[in-house]
Amino acid sequence: MPPPWSLLAVQDPIAYAGNPLDRENLNRRSRDWLEAQERAPESRYLPLWQLMPLLKLGETREIAWARRELFEDLEPRPEPVLLGTRDGVAHFAVDVSAEPKREVGFGVEDVASFEDLRAKVAQIPAADAAIAAQARTLVDWHCRHGHCAVCGGHTRSVLGGGNRICFDCQAEHYPRTDPVAIVVVVRGDRCLLGRGPGWPASMYSALAGFVEAGESLEDAARREVLEEAGVRVGEVRYVRSQPWPFPSSLMLGCVGFAETEEIVVDRAELDDARWFTRDTLREALAGKREDLVVPPPFAIAHHLIRAWVEGGLG
Ligand SMILES: [Zn+2]
């Protein structure tokens, strides 16, 4: 008897989730408290260069936390974003893209490097990956929101980077999170997966799409599957979620129970969609098939597929 899904989720943490920091949403309202955190000698800063976090060299790529001296001479001086605290120590993210020589400019080339988070996530400790995800999303959002979407005026960061306010019209702007429905569609002993244009050879994954205005998660899941693969889905059950910081999505993992089987692929969205049996997917998860590759464990699709194969999704 396989363990129930809730237990699998606890035993099997998902990449980018489980951030250990206290976001300090009450304390960060105090400007004095924020300034004290920025000045505190023990405060830690995660430098990001063009959205790539600084990671220690080695087999395990931990975050290379820095002191504020690292970026104080940069022009223009970057404004740190408070991520939160841990054991009373403040942790910030800071955009250091103004340094043209990357690691060499900071003298850290022998101990650390700026790396693409998605490419290195398998080597990063889980807590550090979650913190880096938060940092990447927030720094990217601040970079893109220097101007007000209401009046076009300049905006400034407030609440330690928790949001931005327009200098001219005082409109408040909050970092956004875009919900994405990601669905493993099942019918009896078969599961529907698709592949998008330009994906790695033989890779198939769960169908996914943004939740649109005025839709529930379940509505979006049914619509996406019908549009992309022509398959009608009845019941949709939410399973688990994953923050996806490229740049700011929240993947909402579901299982959808198909009511029809015939596939009609929308070639604008997908190259192909097919039904796969449990046995085929079990072999693919074990890396034993040359004709079928499923997403790696840092993607929620992997966990959804595996949960269904192991009988945890009904
Ligand atoms: Zn404005």
Side-chain angles (χ1 to χ4, degrees):
M1 188 71 185
W5 176 247
S6 56
L7 189 57
L8 278 177
V10 171
Q11 291 168 346
D12 193 12
I14 201 157
Y16 309 122
N19 190 326
L21 298 181
D22 176 342
R23 296 187 182 222
E24 297 284 6
N25 285 331
L26 302 184
N27 278 325
R28 68 166 72 219
R29 294 174 187 162
S30 159
R31 191 178 294 228
D32 290 344
W33 183 85
L34 280 170
E35 285 175 4
Q37 303 307 313
E38 276 203 45
R39 281 196 308 271
E42 68 273 21
S43 290
R44 313 171 95 190
Y45 293 84
L46 167 51
L48 289 100
W49 192 87
Q50 295 191 359
L51 301 180
M52 294 186 285
L54 187 64
L55 304 176
K56 291 182 188 172
L57 298 182
E59 209 164 301
T60 302
R61 304 300 305 268
E62 293 173 20
I63 288 175
W65 294 103
R67 302 288 178 208
R68 59 186 290 164
E69 290 76 14
L70 182 94
F71 60 89
E72 273 186 328
D73 295 335
L74 279 184
E75 283 293 337
R77 186 177 181 278
E79 191 167 8
V81 174
L82 178 68
L83 302 173
T85 63
R86 192 176 192 183
D87 301 327
V89 175
H91 291 59
F92 294 87
V94 63
D95 181 4
V96 298
S97 306
E99 169 52 63
K101 294 186 202 152
R102 295 182 53 154
E103 295 86 353
V104 174
F106 297 111
V108 299
E109 67 275 19
D110 292 335
V111 291
S113 59
F114 294 102
E115 298 286 355
D116 180 76
L117 179 58
R118 194 167 1 190
K120 294 291 181 221
V121 63
Q123 293 165 258
I124 304 174
D128 282 10
I131 293 169
Q134 179 195 8
R136 189 189 192 285
T137 290
L138 283 176
V139 166
D140 184 46
W141 181 79
H142 282 281
C143 284
R144 293 171 192 239
H145 289 77
H147 288 87
C148 175
V150 178
C151 75
H154 287 285
T155 62
R156 65 189 166 94
S157 172
V158 294
L159 301 177
N163 64 339
R164 298 185 75 86
I165 291 183
C166 176
F167 279 108
D168 294 341
C169 77
Q170 314 303 318
E172 295 181 32
H173 302 282
Y174 290 86
R176 51 183 298 165
T177 295
D178 301 318
V180 173
I182 179 163
V183 201
V184 287
V185 177
V186 300
R187 185 163 170 88
D189 186 49
R190 296 194 300 166
C191 173
L192 176 72
L193 302 177
R195 57 175 281 109
W199 285 18
S202 308
M203 178 172 278
Y204 281 75
S205 184
L207 302 185
F210 286 106
V211 179
E212 295 186 358
E215 278 186 322
S216 69
L217 169 62
E218 293 83 355
D219 293 338
R222 289 188 194 98
R223 176 185 51 75
E224 277 295 330
V225 176
L226 186 61
E227 284 175 359
E228 293 187 358
V231 171
R232 223 166 258 290
V233 168
E235 184 186 354
V236 173
R237 273 189 225 153
Y238 166 75
V239 178
R240 67 187 308 195
S241 64
Q242 179 184 32
W244 191 253
F246 310 101
S248 57
S249 294
L250 176 63
M251 310 300 283
L252 299 165
C254 308
V255 55
F257 296 88
E259 293 179 338
T260 61
E261 291 181 11
E262 187 190 353
I263 295 172
V264 181
V265 172
D266 172 14
R267 298 284 169 191
E269 293 276 343
L270 293 181
D271 274 358
D272 191 24
R274 288 186 204 174
W275 292 100
F276 296 95
T277 65
R278 264 199 173 90
D279 286 344
T280 301
L281 288 175
R282 187 174 289 116
E283 290 171 10
L285 285 165
K288 290 180 181 165
R289 290 191 77 97
E290 290 186 358
D291 61 337
L292 176 62
V293 175
V294 293
F298 63 76
I300 190 171
H302 177 99
H303 297 259
L304 295 170
I305 293 166
R306 188 148 62 83
W308 177 72
V309 165
E310 291 173 2
L313 296 181

